[in-house]
Amino acid sequence: MASILVIGSGLGGLLAAVRAADAGHRVVLVTKSVLPESNTRYAQGGIAAALFRDDSVDAHVLDTLRAGAGLCDPAAVRVLCEEGPARVRDLIRFGVDFDRDESGVARGLEAAHSRSRVVHAGGDATGAAVEAALVATVRRRAAIEVREHTMLVDLILDRGEVVGARVLGPNGGQLSLAADAVILATGGAGALYTHTTNPSVATGDGVAAAWRAGASVADLEFYQFHPTALAVPGTPLVSEAVRGEGAVLRDQLGERFMQGEHPDAELAPRDVVARAIASQMQRQGGAPALLDATALGRELLETRFPTITAACRAAGLDWAVDPIPVAPAAHYWMGGIETDDWGRTSLPGLFAVGEVARTGAHGANRLASNSLLEAAVFADRAVRALGQPWRASATLDNATRPHPLVEPAVTAIGTSSANLGTLVNRETLQQLLWDHAGVHRSGVGLKHAASTLATWSAPDPTSLDVAAVEDRNLLDLARLLVTAALAREESRGAHYRSDFAATRPELARSVSQVRRSHSLTLVPAKEAIAC
Ligand code: SIN
């Protein structure tokens, strides 16, 4: 029996905690907010898996590889698609009540899938249903100690091995939690951008802490923008499944514009649709595009998409009658902490599962509804790998392993981490990334972002304030993302640069970043993580 510290309470964290407890381990599960709050809870479309007779693992693999724009790790994709159906069946056993129709379990179509394979629950409330079932399961496990309102600050290392984490507790004090292994499941970092479909807890805490501890992070230039967030304050998600049911995109004059962009029109890959909408918005002076779902009829809209119907209603919109305003918003980070196919990072003792991880399953552009699947598959595998000899660097396949980023860019990050400049302001950082490291990028804009970020300083790392700890993380991550985006002089998947608009086949390799020993540490010497 080992002591396992799980950090994060989305699908990856909850499932890892349950699996670890069932395997006989003692588990402490910490989460920044309350247990049910996570990115998972807001997922709408569903979970893609080859569960149906007219589908196959090979077809799912092919669709995932195509969407990933040449950057997927084929082995990770195969693991994802092969083990996905069993993990969906596990979720059913844990109490997720997937929607049914006359044929059995109902399924939807989403962009870039060659067939309908997306299972959903509560219509468009799949994430909420998964979260609720797993939270209830966690609560039934006596071996899991849950600590809410407890935020990761930094990982603790001993001779290069992760042995716990320093956290900010509910009473505002920092404390150390020791563990035989740490499983990070802290999700993405939508808070890097002005507009996001993510909840406010998504501040990339796990990626930032892992990088500071010396873990390898990769693919950080690839941030997926969902094409259709409702263009009202809070930018709630309008699932791709709506377009899968037949909704179309129109400009301000009511004309469809996706047919000229891609043969699959509204069901083109997510990055293509997001860029087309952003370009259309530029042409019409910033006004949002329109998503016309009126042909679907009120009954289907209200039963299949109750969450979106409620969001429209709250904004004073009736989407059964009128097209609704939509715009792209930051949605999912393909990059993250580099792992092998067992969730093992480059640091012994540290696992990463879900959006916080870069498994290689998503490449440059995640296929719709593969995110919950990835969290389930790799959380399960990480727990199976607990207690096995740590062979992460040996098991990372050298053929597909990311290249380390060129040294000068990494040096620039380390140097600019000094607390010398103006204290970072979150809204200004979000606007900077939205303007220069968003849907459309250019070398000039990215250089401006990099030099601006270099003038900002992080809040005091010993701060006892959640917002300050988050801002420190966001500043580190913004620098890493911009550095990676500058280094990739091509356009591929979600990374589009107007100065390098073509895909360059010779750059079909991931890029990783590792903190060099000469980087400045942000924690005082007496508390410094040993690295
Ligand atoms: C959606 O419902 O469109 C989001 C699904 C996803 O992000 O995979």
Side-chain angles (χ1 to χ4, degrees):
M1 180 172 83
S3 62
I4 310 300
L5 176 60
V6 178
I7 304 178
S9 63
L11 169 50
L14 295 172
L15 188 65
V18 170
R19 280 279 196 255
D22 290 352
H25 301 299
R26 234 182 19 256
V27 180
V28 174
L29 170 57
V30 309
T31 187
K32 187 161 69 170
S33 176
V34 291
L35 196 58
E37 180 63 339
S38 70
N39 234 343
T40 292
R41 179 174 163 192
Y42 300 88
Q44 293 184 353
I47 308 183
L51 289 158
F52 301 93
R53 246 185 248 133
D54 64 351
D55 199 2
S56 68
V57 167
D58 284 348
H60 191 189
V61 165
L62 203 60
D63 291 347
T64 302
L65 291 172
R66 278 205 188 113
L71 227 69
C72 291
D73 173 349
V77 173
R78 184 142 290 277
V79 164
L80 176 81
C81 298
E82 266 177 8
E83 297 188 11
R87 297 293 78 79
V88 173
R89 290 189 194 100
D90 286 345
L91 291 177
I92 294 170
R93 276 194 286 279
F94 287 132
V96 181
D97 191 11
F98 288 105
D99 294 332
R100 302 183 77 81
D101 60 17
E102 57 289 344
S103 65
V105 175
R107 50 177 161 158
L109 177 66
E110 290 182 16
H113 286 274
S114 58
R115 59 206 75 189
S116 297
R117 61 163 73 92
V118 180
V119 295
H120 46 82
D124 60 359
T126 312
V130 167
E131 187 76 22
L134 288 176
V135 163
T137 309
V138 162
R139 298 243 189 248
R140 286 194 294 271
R141 298 293 191 277
I144 304 176
E145 177 194 339
V146 174
R147 292 184 179 221
E148 296 179 307
H149 302 291
T150 301
M151 181 191 182
L152 169 67
V153 177
D154 271 309
L155 295 164
I156 301 170
L157 289 101
D158 181 14
R159 280 158 286 188
E161 210 166 296
V162 173
V163 294
R166 210 149 48 87
V167 298
L168 189 55
N171 300 325
Q174 288 200 11
L175 60 144
S176 297
L177 299 175
D180 296 317
V182 174
I183 302 180
L184 283 179
T186 48
L192 281 167
Y193 291 97
T194 310
H195 306 293
T196 177
T197 60
N198 294 180
S200 60
V201 291
T203 50
D205 308 327
V207 183
W211 177 74
R212 284 193 296 265
S216 170
V217 295
D219 287 348
L220 297 188
E221 64 273 43
F222 296 107
Y223 214 108
Q224 183 170 77
F225 291 81
H226 197 287
T228 56
L230 195 60
V232 299
T235 49
L237 181 63
V238 179
S239 175
E240 205 157 85
V242 176
R243 280 172 282 132
E245 292 284 350
V248 295
L249 287 161
R250 299 189 187 280
D251 64 20
Q252 283 289 293
L253 300 175
E255 298 297 324
R256 285 182 71 183
F257 59 88
M258 277 310 301
Q259 289 148 310
E261 300 280 347
H262 192 277
D264 294 332
E266 279 83 1
L267 290 179
R270 202 169 267 187
D271 61 306
V272 174
V273 183
R275 273 196 300 280
I277 292 179
S279 299
Q280 184 57 41
M281 287 175 64
Q282 276 169 6
R283 284 194 289 275
Q284 51 195 41
L290 298 171
L291 181 69
D292 186 353
T294 55
L296 276 57
R298 185 176 298 282
E299 196 191 331
L300 185 138
L301 291 177
E302 292 188 352
T303 54
R304 174 79 174 82
F305 302 112
T307 310
I308 303 168
T309 301
C312 290
R313 207 163 275 150
L317 303 166
D318 183 350
W319 69 329
V321 174
D322 296 310
I324 52 173
V326 291
H331 184 60
Y332 186 92
W333 210 352
M334 274 73 71
I337 307 164
E338 191 188 341
T339 70
D340 67 4
D341 292 345
W342 295 93
R344 291 181 287 212
T345 71
S346 59
L347 292 181
L350 182 67
F351 294 79
V353 299
E355 191 174 346
V356 72
R358 178 270 181 206
T359 61
H362 305 312
N365 187 34
R366 177 176 62 82
L367 184 66
S369 288
N370 267 359
S371 55
L372 295 180
L373 188 74
E374 189 208 37
V377 166
F378 289 94
D380 176 80
R381 287 174 77 83
V383 172
R384 281 195 270 148
L386 284 172
Q388 289 179 14
W390 200 267
R391 297 181 300 119
S393 47
T395 55
L396 283 169
D397 175 1
N398 280 332
T400 52
R401 215 184 153 170
H403 281 318
L405 187 60
V406 288
E407 182 73 12
V410 176
T411 306
I413 290 171
T415 308
S416 65
S417 290
N419 281 341
L420 298 174
T422 317
L423 191 63
V424 62
N425 171 279
R426 190 178 306 194
E427 283 174 15
T428 312
L429 178 147
Q430 290 168 333
Q431 193 65 53
L432 185 75
L433 261 67
W434 182 258
D435 290 342
H436 300 296
V439 179
H440 290 121
R441 302 166 174 183
S442 72
V444 171
L446 288 166
K447 278 185 194 137
H448 168 71
S451 58
T452 306
L453 289 166
T455 66
W456 293 343
S457 66
D460 175 3
T462 59
S463 172
L464 302 181
D465 171 42
V466 170
V469 177
E470 289 177 342
D471 285 349
R472 172 188 176 220
N473 291 337
L474 291 169
L475 182 57
D476 279 341
L477 297 177
R479 288 170 173 159
L480 290 165
L481 188 154
V482 167
T483 300
L486 258 174
R488 184 168 289 282
E489 295 186 331
E490 64 160 350
S491 292
R492 179 185 297 277
H495 171 71
Y496 177 82
R497 282 183 61 165
S498 55
D499 51 340
F500 291 99
T503 300
R504 293 168 60 192
E506 73 275 19
L507 298 184
R509 291 294 301 256
S510 289
V511 171
S512 67
Q513 299 180 72
V514 186
R515 202 186 70 161
R516 303 291 184 211
S517 54
H518 59 256
S519 291
L520 297 174
T521 180
L522 295 177
V523 293
K526 66 179 166 52
E527 279 191 73
I529 46 179
C531 53

